[in-house]
Amino acid sequence: MISILYIGSAVLILFFTFLLQSKQSKSAADHILSAWFVLLFLSICTAYIIHYEVSDWGWLLELTDASAILHGTFAWFYTRALTEQNFSFKKTDVLHLLPLLIALFAVYTPWLSGGIISGTG
């Protein structure tokens, strides 16, 4: 039953992404929403892989946990793109990715130091 929900969600996300990308004139909000859908798709695929223990994909689970921070960032950019007249990304918008970089650093530092990869951690 759970696999039907995973697969159904993934198919719907791909369908909506395809619909957005097939529009003639796409706005910045459409591109942001498409990228957000891709993030959701990857999260669902990762959850499926982890739930059914397809392989040892622990590093992917850690990446998905860290990338969950991006949902708020996508919501912020999408809202701005819908509400601002001439929305465009500014150099300071990169600061919204700082929490993701901190989370990735915190998650992958043990992996990179060899503790988890070598089996000692």
Side-chain angles (χ1 to χ4, degrees), residues 55-94:
S55 182
D56 185 26
W57 292 68
W59 63 272
L60 191 58
L61 178 62
E62 300 293 345
L63 179 62
T64 302
D65 288 347
S67 67
I69 294 171
L70 283 179
H71 293 290
T73 303
F74 276 116
W76 170 248
F77 287 140
Y78 183 64
T79 303
R80 281 186 49 208
L82 289 175
T83 58
E84 291 180 13
Q85 283 287 340
N86 296 317
F87 172 78
S88 64
F89 287 105
K90 299 170 187 65
K91 290 179 184 178
T92 56
D93 288 336
V94 174

Side-chain angles (χ1 to χ4, degrees), residues 28-54:
D30 293 332
H31 290 294
I32 294 169
L33 188 58
S34 292
W36 196 1
F37 280 159
V38 169
L39 178 66
L40 286 171
F41 175 77
L42 293 175
S43 297
I44 288 171
C45 288
T46 303
Y48 180 85
I49 288 169
I50 299 301
H51 184 266
Y52 288 101
E53 298 175 359
V54 174

